[in-house]
Amino acid sequence: MTSSANGSHTKAGLARQSRPKLHQATLVLPKTGRRVKRTVTFGNSPGFEPPDNNGIAHDRAPLLGLRNAQQKSRDAPRILLSVFQWLFRHFWDFAKSRTGKGVLKCSIAYFLGSLATFVPSIAAMLGQQDGKHMVATITVYFHPARSQGSMFEAMILATVAFSYAAFIGFTSMGVSIFFGRVLHLIAIGHAMVLVVFCGGGLGLVGWIKQRLGHPLVNISCSLTSLAIITVLTKEGAVQAGKFSDDKTVQVLKMIVMGVIATTAVSFSIFPVSARADLRENLETFTDSLSEVFTMITRSFLTGSEEELQRPQSQNAMDRYRSLLTAMEKNLKEAKYEHYVAGTEREYRLEAELVDCMQRLAQNIGGLRSAATTQFLILAQPRLGSPTGEHRKFAIDAAHIDHPLILTAIDEVSENGESESRPEPTVRSENSILTPDDAFTEFILHLGPSIKSLAFTLREILDDLPFGPGPEYEVTVNAKYTSSLEDAVELYSQSREDAMSKIYDADKVNKQRSVDVEADFEEIAASCGVFSYALQDFANEMKDYLNVLDDLKLEIEERPEGRTWNWLKFWRRGRYFESGTDFGACCLAQEHSKNLMCVVSTNPVDQRADTTSNVPGSLLRPPSVSGAKEHGQKANLRYRLWKALAIFRRDDTKFAIKVGAGAALYALPSFISSTRPIYQHFRGEWGLLSYMLVCSMTIGASNTTGYARFLGTCLGAICAVVAWVVSRGNPFVLAACGWFMSFWTAYIIVAQGKGPMGRFIMLTYNLSALYAYSLSVKDLDNDGDEGGISPIISEIAFHRVVAVLSGCLWGLIVTRLVWPISARQKLKDGLSVMWLRMGLIWKRPPLDRRLQGKTPNAYMDLAEEARLHSFLAQLEKLKDAAASEINLRAAFPKASYSRLLGTTSDMLDALHAMNAMILKEPRVSAGEASILESTTVERAQLRLRISHLFQVMASSIKLEYPLNDALPSIEHTRDRLLAKIFGFRKEDKAAAIASDKDFALLYTYVLVTGQLEKSIKNIGSELETLFGTLDEDLLKLQ
């Protein structure tokens, strides 16, 4: 195989050297709209850099470097100076970077927050109760190294957090007063507070934290938990059955002070705008999109996958995907800035712009899929070759009579003048005997047109849509839209002419084997889908340019002025229904017609529409078909079982066990004999640690518990050192705190380890700042830790013990009460995902089109969103599973990463089929004829694919290897391709079916090919994971 492949590469190289130049193609210059004849190029491929003219100097560099090193070794001061200069240069570069500025802002905000402890006048505003260090802690939690939009969101969440904590605190006091003073049953009142408000209130906080999974929401939940725990277990008003708002008012003041400090720093020192970040993302994304688009087009035209496999190409792909995520994040944050500024319509247009970018990315995926299919076809062994020679795009140079690969030709001037080149000699019609010839014929006829349209698209993408920052004004060229429309029209005509030449009757009617016909049609499908995807990409680009024009008009003229409609809560318009934001409504308008088409009448669809969680959101409980046969009693039991379904959900179980664990941990604070011990060891911080450690899965709890305990130990050690060094001096202690904040801000902002940095600073504040408050007599009833002469070691020890007890209690509750293993949940989730995808693929939307009914897709938008959301949850489970300790074997994270990646590819394939179905709701006569002739083959293919999905789901669920004799998709798919090829031979095909009528079925063929490849990859991974039978699985017990 190796020698054969090497020989093929040699032949390909000879072919490239001897091929003639292509004639020039007509293209449209986007900036002027002129049609010119020109040869175009996409530049050098990544990895092929021009030779360096200074190569000789580079050869000598090591010798010179050695001599310099010897000189420096004799001059130690100069070496130290150069090292110092290197360090200073790197430090200065970091200080000027956005990350360095963010770290500086965090340290300044912390210093301002610590003034609430060190400045007597500010501390007096907070009363004589402890906890003044919470002002500094809030500046760490809601740090200012974020955009203005994110700060607005943080303020909203902080307000909600305080309101909920105040409600729980005041209500629990009212219940305690009612049972203690009215009914004289204070013990029952305590029990009610413990179960309902402590257990139920904190359980709801845990449920919201896991349900939303947003970083700012997690921080707000921590703040809420701290406020509730302090009022219920530490203040003493609830235990005494009296009303006190001292602690609640103090918490409100501390939140206001902390938020004001961090907001002032965020807005005044190196402010960051999410709107500017979004436009910068859009600007960079167009560059990345142009780069990826050029690589894929060039690879398709050259028939070589080598370029897409190079590290440079992979880096471009990764950068392109990361920008998509960054755009979504910045769009959400920009929404708050636009709402505050009264530019709601501008936000809606930016949301449309991001949606256009996402659709362009999906079209790039279609182009990549078509190119990948082409590579797979060309790499297959040639039919009838006894030596198993691989197909290559190029053949022996001695037999070349037309170019097989479009060359990279330098661009010429707009007048189109260039050397006259010999016209390529085209083979006769009867000489097209193999699919290779058909592919070559396609590239010969359509290649110049593809390059022409690709040139116009690339020029538009390379011209950045925004001006320089920080304004990022829209600078779109008014000529682009008309130029692109002209280029698309030119391309469409060229494509139709090329396809008509390729499928000339004399070429199609030749007798070939079924395998050859299938390969012939598969190549036609890959080429056809690529050409259609390229046209779709151009059409989406027109929408993108139209939105840019609207955005430019809105920014420059703002016809409707500034509006704050979001404040008019009494107006129930379409933008305010069910909490939908403007951007979502904008996108919903664009897809409204599609939504009307995808309302499914399939029972499976109806079940999917009524679900809310996974696996419940993907697979409803099975119906008991025989319930009525067992009588009314059985039917009543089944109804009760369905009504209690919410209590079988994992998130509900998690909320219940978190609340129960919190109530048990807080119980000593309500018993008079154990309350002093609870207060002495600062049980409130242990309970807070318990709330922070408790996570849905065992792995996530292990990760958080480790970070919490390690951060607490580091913070306690640093607090002891700072107190010993400062000896209680507020100026030295403030300087130590600023240094601590600088260090931990680097951990939070630069390294992205938010929990670790927050835990360190929280413990430092609890120890060092608390000790200073004791030393200046700023607290009452706190003589158990040294009073005005605080014992810092005892203070730190109490915090560490409290945190350790809370972490251990959280791990015990997570592991023993309804334990949820991330590993098992990941396997179950993949099983349910594949089962669901099998059911989705089993649906016959193409047959509904044939029957003339309202066309519905495989998935509606809501179901597709749930599947992608569930896949994101599985990614988190994969990360959590790596932290679970299992004596059986280490978690194979790499294998599961590949499984999830392949599953994502299959979801993208289903999306491509969805988009193609919804693109043209009405069925033409030619398309109906094609669908009718392939009904049997399509039914066999989709049932076989659905069956394989079920087999894979069973395999990963049971941890059992796949059967060796699985049904093959390839042969069933070949029969479908041969059927399509045979349809072209019929006389009625030429009469009623045009090339456009084959587009849907070509996409279907391409998608099934992608699914076939993905299923094979999953089978290989399952063989790696479960290839060896475990005797424990086969025990009869």
Side-chain angles (χ1 to χ4, degrees):
M1 294 294 293
T2 304
S3 61
S4 176
N6 292 337
S8 300
H9 281 296
T10 303
K11 294 176 183 180
L14 292 173
R16 292 187 181 98
Q17 292 175 5
S18 59
R19 66 179 181 268
K21 297 291 186 179
L22 275 178
H23 55 78
Q24 296 179 349
T26 301
L27 55 88
V28 178
L29 298 178
K31 292 185 178 181
T32 61
R34 291 178 53 196
R35 288 193 181 191
V36 297
K37 277 190 173 294
R38 171 187 293 190
T39 52
V40 283
T41 177
F42 291 137
N44 292 328
S45 302
F48 291 96
E49 299 297 337
D52 194 346
N53 296 329
N54 299 324
I56 298 178
H58 289 170
D59 291 339
R60 296 177 181 175
L63 297 178
L64 296 175
L66 179 60
R67 186 175 63 184
N68 292 336
Q70 293 174 351
Q71 293 176 352
K72 290 180 180 179
S73 65
R74 295 191 298 267
D75 193 356
R78 295 178 63 181
I79 295 177
L80 294 176
L81 179 62
S82 63
V83 171
F84 175 78
Q85 290 175 345
W86 182 84
L87 292 174
F88 179 79
R89 184 170 60 254
H90 281 70
F91 173 78
W92 184 247
D93 291 341
F94 173 76
K96 292 189 299 182
S97 66
R98 180 166 175 173
T99 302
K101 293 176 181 178
V103 171
L104 177 63
K105 291 167 64 175
C106 291
S107 63
I108 294 176
Y110 176 83
F111 176 78
L112 294 178
S114 64
L115 296 181
T117 302
F118 295 125
V119 178
S121 58
I122 301 178
M125 297 174 58
L126 300 176
Q128 291 297 314
Q129 294 182 331
D130 63 353
K132 299 179 179 64
H133 54 79
M134 281 304 300
V135 179
T137 302
I138 289 173
T139 63
V140 175
Y141 274 52
F142 297 102
H143 64 79
R146 60 179 81 246
S147 67
Q148 297 174 3
S150 182
M151 284 305 305
F152 290 136
E153 184 181 11
M155 286 188 283
I156 294 173
L157 292 176
T159 302
V160 174
F162 169 77
S163 301
Y164 178 75
F167 171 78
I168 293 294
F170 289 146
T171 308
S172 61
M173 291 178 193
V175 170
S176 180
I177 293 173
F178 175 76
F179 278 93
R181 297 184 179 182
V182 178
L183 301 180
H184 302 289
L185 299 172
I186 190 65
I188 297 179
H190 289 170
M192 289 285 294
V193 171
L194 199 61
V195 173
V196 177
F197 298 101
C198 186
L202 293 178
L204 180 59
V205 171
W207 182 84
I208 293 175
K209 178 181 176 180
Q210 295 297 324
R211 185 71 173 179
L212 298 181
H214 190 278
L216 278 177
V217 173
N218 295 343
I219 293 173
S220 301
C221 289
S222 301
L223 180 63
T224 302
S225 300
L226 176 60
I228 292 175
I229 291 168
T230 302
V231 172
L232 296 187
T233 67
K234 182 183 179 182
E235 186 182 24
V238 175
Q239 287 78 358
K242 64 179 183 179
F243 181 83
S244 174
D245 61 351
D246 294 342
K247 195 63 181 179
T248 304
V249 173
Q250 186 196 34
V251 170
L252 174 61
K253 291 179 180 179
M254 289 188 297
I255 291 176
V256 171
M257 288 182 179
V259 170
I260 289 177
T262 189
T263 303
V265 172
S266 178
F267 286 8
S268 59
I269 302 177
F270 304 123
V272 177
S273 171
R275 293 174 289 178
D277 286 347
L278 176 61
R279 294 185 183 182
E280 183 180 2
N281 290 150
L282 290 168
E283 181 177 307
T284 308
F285 185 76
T286 54
D287 282 343
S288 298
L289 196 66
S290 174
E291 185 179 1
V292 174
F293 171 73
T294 301
M295 289 189 303
I296 293 175
T297 305
R298 181 167 52 217
S299 297
F300 178 81
L301 293 174
T302 58
S304 173
E305 194 179 9
E306 296 176 1
E307 180 176 340
L308 294 180
Q309 294 176 343
R310 295 192 186 107
Q312 296 92 333
S313 300
Q314 294 299 325
N315 293 337
M317 292 286 186
D318 294 339
R319 184 169 60 252
Y320 155 82
R321 296 189 184 99
S322 64
L323 284 170
L324 278 174
T325 304
M327 280 196 304
E328 294 177 358
K329 171 182 174 294
N330 288 324
L331 176 64
K332 182 178 180 181
E333 295 177 1
K335 175 180 67 175
Y336 295 96
E337 296 183 13
H338 282 298
Y339 281 10
V340 173
T343 55
E344 297 159 318
R345 177 171 169 75
E346 187 176 333
Y347 163 70
R348 296 199 295 272
L349 292 172
E350 288 180 352
E352 286 189 36
L353 209 57
V354 173
D355 185 55
C356 288
M357 289 288 98
Q358 292 173 340
R359 295 201 302 273
L360 286 172
Q362 292 166 359
N363 282 282
I364 285 288
L367 292 171
R368 177 70 183 267
S369 299
T372 303
T373 302
Q374 169 205 331
F375 303 146
L376 293 175
I377 297 171
L378 298 179
Q380 292 174 359
R382 185 188 298 275
L383 293 172
S385 174
T387 61
E389 180 184 358
H390 281 65
R391 290 198 199 125
K392 291 294 177 183
F393 192 22
I395 60 177
D396 197 308
H399 298 88
I400 291 180
D401 49 13
H402 59 80
L404 298 178
I405 301 178
L406 291 184
T407 58
I409 309 169
D410 292 335
E411 298 176 15
V412 297
S413 60
E414 289 191 12
N415 56 21
E417 296 178 358
S418 62
E419 299 179 3
S420 60
R421 297 185 175 91
E423 291 292 332
T425 304
V426 183
R427 290 186 181 185
S428 64
E429 295 174 352
N430 296 329
S431 64
I432 301 179
L433 301 176
T434 66
D436 294 326
D437 298 327
F439 189 84
T440 302
E441 193 76 8
F442 179 90
I443 294 297
L444 175 67
H445 289 292
L446 194 54
S449 300
I450 290 177
K451 293 190 74 173
S452 298
L453 180 58
F455 169 81
T456 303
L457 291 170
R458 189 193 66 175
E459 290 295 306
I460 294 176
L461 287 171
D462 287 343
D463 189 12
L464 303 180
F466 298 104
E471 293 81 9
Y472 293 105
E473 297 179 355
V474 180
T475 58
V476 62
N477 193 319
K479 278 282 187 180
Y480 281 169
T481 302
S482 59
S483 299
L484 187 56
E485 291 176 350
D486 192 15
V488 171
E489 181 182 356
L490 180 64
Y491 172 77
S492 300
Q493 185 61 42
S494 300
R495 186 190 63 196
E496 292 178 4
D497 294 342
M499 296 303 293
S500 63
K501 292 177 181 178
I502 293 173
Y503 283 102
D504 185 88
D506 293 337
K507 304 173 185 178
V508 175
N509 289 333
K510 294 184 68 66
Q511 295 297 325
R512 298 176 177 87
S513 66
V514 174
D515 291 334
V516 172
E517 290 180 351
D519 284 349
F520 193 103
E521 204 61 41
E522 188 172 18
I523 288 176
S526 67
C527 296
V529 170
F530 188 91
S531 64
Y532 287 122
L534 183 61
Q535 186 170 357
D536 290 341
F537 186 87
N539 292 330
E540 293 294 347
M541 182 62 70
K542 288 192 291 186
D543 295 339
Y544 169 73
L545 293 175
N546 291 332
V547 176
L548 275 178
D549 288 336
D550 293 340
L551 181 61
K552 183 178 182 180
L553 175 65
E554 177 64 24
I555 294 175
E556 294 178 353
E557 300 183 11
R558 211 172 299 282
E560 299 180 4
R562 295 183 182 270
T563 59
W564 287 271
N565 291 328
W566 60 277
L567 288 175
K568 303 173 183 178
F569 58 88
W570 59 90
R571 294 178 56 184
R572 297 294 178 180
R574 57 184 176 180
Y575 299 122
F576 300 92
E577 294 176 359
S578 62
T580 305
D581 60 68
F582 290 122
C585 291
C586 177
L587 304 184
Q589 289 178 1
E590 184 170 348
H591 296 296
S592 59
K593 295 183 180 179
N594 294 345
L595 284 171
M596 295 301 295
C597 295
V598 299
V599 178
S600 175
T601 57
N602 192 309
V604 178
D605 294 339
Q606 293 174 0
R607 289 198 303 268
D609 292 339
T610 58
T611 56
S612 60
N613 195 14
V614 180
S617 66
L618 296 181
L619 196 61
R620 295 286 292 174
S623 60
V624 181
S625 58
K628 294 183 179 179
E629 299 178 3
H630 296 289
Q632 188 68 24
K633 190 174 183 180
N635 194 18
L636 181 61
R637 286 202 305 269
Y638 176 63
R639 290 182 179 178
L640 180 62
W641 179 81
K642 289 189 67 177
L644 298 177
I646 188 174
F647 295 102
R648 294 191 296 272
R649 288 168 38 170
D650 287 338
D651 55 349
T652 305
K653 293 179 181 179
F654 172 75
I656 293 174
K657 72 179 183 181
V658 167
L664 289 175
Y665 194 96
L667 180 61
S669 67
F670 287 86
I671 300 175
S672 57
S673 58
T674 57
R675 180 171 173 78
I677 300 176
Y678 181 90
Q679 291 179 323
H680 179 73
F681 284 96
R682 306 303 171 184
E684 67 273 10
W685 297 110
L687 185 53
L688 178 63
S689 299
Y690 162 81
M691 290 297 300
L692 296 176
V693 166
C694 278
S695 299
M696 182 73 77
T697 61
I698 298 173
S701 296
N702 292 341
T703 302
T704 309
Y706 171 77
R708 173 67 172 162
F709 181 70
L710 179 61
T712 299
C713 293
L714 290 175
I717 293 173
C718 292
V720 172
V721 173
W723 184 260
V724 172
V725 170
S726 66
R727 297 183 179 182
N729 185 287
F731 298 99
V732 178
L733 201 58
C736 292
W738 180 86
F739 176 78
M740 282 290 299
S741 66
F742 198 91
W743 168 48
T744 55
Y746 181 82
I747 297 176
I748 296 173
V749 178
Q751 296 185 344
K753 300 178 181 179
M756 175 67 74
R758 290 194 294 267
F759 292 156
I760 293 174
M761 287 307 300
L762 178 61
T763 306
Y764 176 85
N765 295 338
L766 285 172
S767 303
L769 299 189
Y770 173 80
Y772 177 79
S773 297
L774 282 178
S775 66
V776 296
K777 301 180 182 181
D778 199 23
L779 306 178
D780 55 359
N781 300 325
D782 277 293
D784 58 338
E785 293 175 329
I788 60 175
S789 300
I791 307 173
I792 189 63
S793 58
E794 185 175 350
I795 294 174
F797 175 73
H798 290 168
R799 272 53 174 182
V800 172
V801 170
V803 169
L804 178 60
S805 65
C807 292
L808 290 177
W809 180 241
L811 294 176
I812 290 173
V813 171
T814 303
R815 183 170 287 274
L816 298 184
V817 182
W818 288 321
I820 302 174
S821 170
R823 294 191 181 196
Q824 190 59 45
K825 194 172 177 62
L826 176 59
K827 295 174 184 177
D828 294 344
L830 277 172
S831 177
V832 173
M833 172 72 81
W834 293 340
L835 280 174
R836 185 65 188 174
M837 293 175 71
L839 292 175
I840 289 172
W841 189 255
K842 203 172 181 179
R843 302 172 186 171
L846 299 185
D847 293 340
R848 288 180 57 83
R849 291 173 66 90
L850 182 60
Q851 296 167 6
K853 298 180 181 179
T854 302
N856 64 296
Y858 285 95
M859 303 175 290
D860 60 22
L861 297 180
E863 184 178 8
E864 185 177 357
R866 283 197 298 269
L867 287 171
H868 281 285
S869 176
F870 184 48
L871 188 63
Q873 294 179 30
L874 295 182
E875 289 284 354
K876 296 179 181 179
L877 288 175
K878 178 199 67 178
D879 296 334
S883 301
E884 292 185 356
I885 301 174
N886 194 314
L887 298 179
R888 178 182 174 187
F891 177 71
K893 187 175 181 179
S895 295
Y896 279 97
S897 296
R898 289 190 290 269
L899 286 176
L900 291 173
T902 306
T903 304
S904 177
D905 293 340
M906 292 190 293
L907 275 180
D908 293 340
L910 285 174
H911 173 83
M913 197 66 215
N914 262 355
M916 195 65 190
I917 292 174
L918 297 175
K919 186 184 299 182
E920 188 62 45
R922 296 184 179 180
V923 184
S924 64
E927 185 183 35
S929 179
I930 299 170
L931 293 176
E932 184 176 2
S933 65
T934 58
T935 300
V936 177
E937 289 76 15
R938 286 187 292 103
Q940 294 174 352
L941 184 57
R942 63 181 170 84
L943 291 176
R944 184 155 295 188
I945 292 175
S946 178
H947 171 66
L948 288 175
F949 271 119
Q950 295 177 9
V951 172
M952 293 189 308
S954 302
S955 174
I956 197 170
K957 177 74 174 180
L958 300 175
E959 299 185 5
Y960 194 84
L962 291 174
N963 197 312
D964 294 334
L966 289 176
S968 173
I969 300 175
E970 183 177 1
H971 299 302
T972 308
R973 186 165 170 266
D974 284 348
R975 287 195 294 270
L976 173 61
L977 290 167
K979 187 72 173 181
I980 299 173
F981 187 87
F983 176 81
R984 291 185 180 275
K985 295 182 179 180
E986 301 176 6
D987 295 335
K988 65 176 182 179
I992 63 174
S994 64
D995 174 63
K996 186 178 180 181
D997 294 328
F998 286 87
L1000 178 61
L1001 206 54
Y1002 277 166
T1003 304
Y1004 184 86
V1005 168
L1006 195 66
V1007 167
T1008 54
Q1010 294 170 359
L1011 291 178
E1012 177 188 4
K1013 178 185 176 183
S1014 298
I1015 289 174
K1016 287 181 179 179
N1017 293 338
I1018 290 177
S1020 300
E1021 290 296 337
L1022 293 179
E1023 186 70 22
T1024 302
L1025 291 172
F1026 314 123
T1028 303
L1029 285 176
D1030 190 344
E1031 293 295 334
D1032 293 337
L1033 295 176
L1034 303 178
K1035 284 184 179 180
L1036 301 176
Q1037 57 182 3

